[in-house]
Amino acid sequence: MRETTYFILAALQDGPLHGYAIIQRASALSSGRIQLATGTLYTALERLATAGHIRVVDEQIVNGRARRSYELTPEGGAALQEHAEQLAAAARVVTERRVTRAAVSPA
Amino acid sequence: MTTDHTTAVERRYARLVNLYPAHYPRDEILDTVLQSTARFTAREAFSLLTGAFRARTGADVHRGPAEFLQSATRLAALALLVQAAAGDVLRALPLDLTAILQSADGIVQYATAGLLALILHVTAIVTLTRGAYRVAAAAAVLGLVASILSASRFGGPWMQAGFGAAPLAALLAGVLACTRRRERSAPLWWLLAVPPAVILLPTGSGTVLSPALFIESQAFLALTAVAVAWSLLDARVPVAVAALGICNLITIMQVVLLNGIVGDAPVAAQVAVSAAPTLVLLIAATVSRRRSPI
């Protein structure tokens, strides 16, 4: 799973969001590292929808334009969780080694 | 910020958003981009352009490894069918009328076979794009038989430039016919590619149209460069162009092997140079598949 995809899915874990809210939430969750352009977001949403990771849950008319909200599917949630565990395991390779070295190093 | 300015920005973004296919939520995309920025920026414009391009070319769909391989095989088969049809054009009856009238050795059957091969290869292109893989495979196999007959006029068909396209296309179409997943697209662009392919791809057109000899040798390099650039958006495209490169390489290898000059350094170098674009394309496809930003 790409980092962009990971943060789009992570943005949806607390509930459905529309396009612009996903951009803002992904940016906030990644401390500003992921700045999604609109075209990139909608290509990603299309791919995630065809993969069954997200689905359209609501459609409202705002300022005369349709605005759809997207939510995580159970498959999308499971994929996100699995990837998060992989990242955590990879992080532990470094963080736990640092702790171990600190514990065994002579005073 | 004035209302006029806002309207102008909206209009410029709307023009780009309208490039998306109708099934995309165009209104919503425009709404999102206008919420994101009040100015017309190159970054947003580029992302909308590439997004629309991906959507139009089917690169926006999630594909696992097996699905990617199948979709890339389909594009490769279509590219090879275009090259095979372009080769048929050169050998087909109405186009070769002068030679038929001037020749007394009965070449009509070869030219007729060329026309039949052209019809069958065009049928294979149309049916493959429409998702009728079995019909496409049957048309490609029959087209191969007709191609062999028509190309026999010039001696061994297997040694002729670009002839490998017909058997490779038949092989790939046969493989696709054994799969269950079907993809559909419009055949128009593939059919429009046939006339320029007569000169741009290695079809042997250089023997008939002398400037084509130079164009053919350079065109594949240009095509390779375009496909490598395209790999940033869609990893299937370099695979399809690599199939054309493999077809060209098969012809070169046969010439080398049948002439018994294997081991000759300049020949080995020539084969290596001929293989280089194909290798570059396959590397570009692999890198693109692994490093896709989405």
Side-chain angles (χ1 to χ4, degrees):
Chain A
M1 188 182 290
R2 316 281 181 249
E3 191 181 29
T4 311
T5 311
Y6 176 77
F7 279 106
I8 290 173
L9 292 179
L12 294 172
Q13 62 187 332
D14 293 330
L17 294 174
H18 60 82
Y20 181 57
I22 295 173
I23 292 174
Q24 286 184 308
R25 186 96 182 105
S27 173
L29 290 174
S30 63
S31 308
R33 257 183 327 111
I34 301 294
Q35 297 289 340
L36 286 163
T38 308
T40 311
L41 171 72
Y42 280 92
T43 304
L45 291 178
E46 182 70 17
R47 282 192 185 174
L48 290 168
T50 56
H53 287 177
I54 63 166
R55 66 181 161 222
V56 175
V57 69
D58 183 33
E59 182 167 330
Q60 295 176 334
I61 304 297
V62 181
N63 295 330
R65 293 197 186 98
R67 185 180 285 178
R68 303 187 305 177
S69 292
Y70 302 84
E71 74 169 6
L72 267 183
T73 60
E75 294 80 16
L80 178 66
Q81 190 64 38
E82 187 185 335
H83 193 71
E85 283 164 11
Q86 286 172 4
L87 291 177
R92 277 197 297 275
V93 171
V94 175
T95 53
E96 288 182 1
R97 183 168 176 269
R98 197 186 301 153
V99 171
T100 311
R101 285 182 65 183
V104 298
S105 62
Chain B
M1 196 135 323
T2 65
T3 310
D4 279 353
H5 175 78
T6 310
T7 312
V9 169
E10 182 175 338
R11 226 178 6 246
R12 292 177 78 183
Y13 278 129
R15 271 201 289 270
L16 293 174
V17 170
N18 282 334
L19 296 175
Y20 278 85
H23 72 269
Y24 260 73
R26 292 173 178 166
D27 265 11
E28 184 188 326
I29 296 173
L30 184 58
D31 187 42
T32 302
V33 73
L34 291 174
Q35 280 183 289
S36 300
T37 176
R39 293 182 300 116
F40 186 83
T41 66
R43 177 174 176 268
E44 285 290 358
F46 183 72
S47 87
L48 289 173
L49 260 179
T50 52
F53 191 71
R54 279 188 171 121
R56 291 268 175 201
T57 56
D60 59 334
V61 179
H62 169 81
R63 292 185 179 91
E67 290 167 329
F68 171 80
L69 194 63
Q70 193 186 329
S71 190
T73 303
R74 177 175 172 274
L75 287 193
L78 282 166
L80 289 164
L81 283 169
V82 166
Q83 183 173 356
D88 297 332
V89 167
L90 287 170
R91 297 184 289 263
L93 180 61
L95 295 147
D96 215 1
L97 202 57
T98 315
I100 292 162
L101 292 175
Q102 288 173 353
S103 170
D105 59 356
I107 63 166
V108 174
Q109 69 272 26
Y110 300 120
T112 307
L115 184 62
L116 185 62
L118 177 61
I119 292 167
L120 286 164
H121 281 138
V122 166
T123 305
I125 291 171
V126 173
T127 49
L128 193 54
T129 52
R130 304 313 296 173
Y133 288 5
R134 286 183 185 158
V135 180
V141 170
L142 291 172
L144 168 63
V145 175
S147 283
I148 293 171
L149 288 175
S150 68
S152 301
R153 173 184 152 196
F154 304 104
W158 306 99
M159 299 281 280
Q160 291 169 29
F163 187 78
L168 268 182
L171 178 69
L172 295 186
V175 169
L176 287 169
C178 300
T179 60
R180 271 190 286 177
R181 191 169 165 272
R182 298 284 184 264
E183 275 190 59
R184 288 173 183 81
S185 59
L188 181 66
W189 292 107
W190 295 103
L191 294 176
L192 288 176
V194 174
V198 173
I199 292 174
L200 296 177
L201 294 180
T203 53
S205 61
T207 53
V208 184
L209 311 158
S210 48
L213 201 59
F214 172 76
I215 295 169
E216 275 183 6
S217 59
Q218 309 302 317
F220 190 70
L221 289 179
L223 193 62
T224 300
V226 170
V228 169
W230 203 325
S231 72
L232 298 172
L233 299 177
D234 190 346
R236 298 172 304 159
V237 174
V239 175
V241 178
L244 299 178
I246 289 169
C247 164
N248 199 21
L249 199 59
I250 289 171
T251 311
I252 291 168
M253 290 298 289
Q254 282 186 103
V255 171
V256 169
L257 291 173
L258 289 174
N259 286 325
I261 43 179
V262 183
D264 189 333
V267 171
Q270 191 189 343
V271 170
V273 167
S274 305
T278 305
L279 282 175
V280 168
L281 287 163
L282 292 175
I283 290 167
T286 309
V287 170
S288 167
R289 179 84 184 142
R290 287 189 178 176
R291 299 185 69 86
S292 165
I294 301 165

